[in-house]
Amino acid sequence: MAECADSPDEPRRAAADLRADATDEQEPGRARCDEAIAWRNRFLMLFDRMPLAMALCRTDGEILLANPALGAEWGRPAGRLTGRNVLELFHPRASAQLERIAEALRVGRRSRYPLAVGWTSGGEDRHGELTVDPVSEGSHAVPALLVVLRSVDAAPREAGEQDGPLREDGEVGPVGRRVLALAAAGLTTAAIAKAMGLTVDGVNYHVTRLSRRWRTPNRTALVAKAYALGVLSPGAWPPAPGPADA
């Protein structure tokens, strides 16, 4: 009896088996890629919601990514800070500190470095501290710099001077005054953000910072404190900022 010829479906089955094998080999790589994307999205969401002003920079200081809290410090959307150099925005008070950080990065150290800075925002001279933290995927990779702004509104101290009480004066920048006026008018956080061209997180940053500074427990008390300090004009409706030197 003659041998049966190969079925015409045999080549199709073989090709299908090869595609299935290739798909099985690709699955682990695809799963790792999906997981990496998910973690990246989680990081970006957390980065945007952090109340601390933060930026991710190149080693030369160019800002790659800024969060809304940093944008609020300058009264503009965070995206408009991308491409700026962080040292154009915040000026080191001691060049020796900056030189030590540059040398540490050059030799590959991965410590956290504080940098005392000053800057002017909304017509106010401000002082604080940048924490510079090199981050990278491996010990031999070129790091990025995670920069965190701390001690906002803290005046520079002389050697040996102790921390004083929180400031309760009426010195508030124009962005903060506008936020307070709109809050006094009863606008929601989202409505204030839309009116000022800020993000919701940016508005919350200003409200939280002033509440902590004036020790007020809620927004109603914050507005009352603003009137008591003359930050808001007592005879104006809709609510309006008071004199800038209040």
Side-chain angles (χ1 to χ4, degrees):
M1 182 182 293
E3 293 184 0
C4 293
D6 290 340
S7 168
D9 292 333
E10 191 64 29
R12 294 192 184 94
R13 285 197 295 269
D17 290 342
L18 287 173
R19 286 195 296 270
D21 291 342
T23 300
D24 290 342
E25 292 176 359
Q26 292 172 358
E27 283 301 323
R30 184 177 301 143
R32 286 194 295 271
C33 182
D34 290 344
E35 184 178 4
I37 292 173
W39 276 107
R40 175 183 178 274
N41 291 339
R42 291 189 192 106
F43 165 76
L44 291 176
M45 182 173 65
L46 179 63
F47 185 79
D48 279 347
R49 292 182 177 276
M50 287 292 290
L52 291 174
M54 305 171 68
L56 193 65
C57 306
R58 299 185 191 275
T59 52
D60 63 0
E62 179 186 349
I63 296 175
L64 300 172
L65 186 67
N67 73 343
L70 187 62
E73 181 61 33
W74 289 92
R76 65 190 67 182
R80 292 183 59 187
L81 298 180
T82 301
R84 299 283 301 274
N85 193 293
V86 70
L87 295 180
E88 294 175 0
L89 302 174
F90 303 99
H91 307 295
R93 291 171 47 210
S95 59
Q97 284 184 313
L98 188 60
E99 292 169 1
R100 283 196 296 270
I101 294 174
E103 176 62 18
L105 293 174
R106 188 184 68 80
V107 299
R109 295 176 188 158
R110 294 290 189 273
S111 298
R112 182 173 296 168
Y113 305 96
L115 180 65
V117 292
W119 68 100
T120 301
S121 177
E124 294 184 19
D125 290 333
R126 312 285 287 280
H127 304 273
E129 181 180 87
L130 290 178
T131 299
V132 182
D133 202 349
V135 292
S136 64
E137 296 182 358
S139 58
H140 299 292
V142 177
L145 303 179
L146 180 62
V147 176
V148 180
L149 178 64
R150 300 176 183 274
S151 303
V152 175
D153 282 341
R157 300 197 303 265
E158 299 296 333
E161 185 179 349
Q162 300 298 315
D163 289 326
L166 293 175
R167 291 171 53 190
E168 295 196 8
D169 55 65
E171 293 182 10
V172 180
V175 175
R177 287 172 176 268
R178 180 67 175 153
V179 168
L180 288 168
L182 293 175
L187 273 67
T188 65
T189 300
I192 294 173
K194 183 177 180 180
M196 296 187 62
L198 298 174
T199 64
V200 169
D201 288 335
V203 174
N204 285 334
Y205 167 76
H206 282 283
V207 171
T208 300
R209 182 166 62 88
L210 288 169
S211 295
R212 184 173 63 248
R213 173 175 157 186
W214 291 343
R215 300 183 178 91
T216 53
N218 52 47
R219 187 173 295 196
T220 301
L222 179 66
V223 169
K225 187 80 171 185
Y227 276 113
L229 294 174
V231 175
L232 295 178
S233 177
W237 188 266
D245 58 353

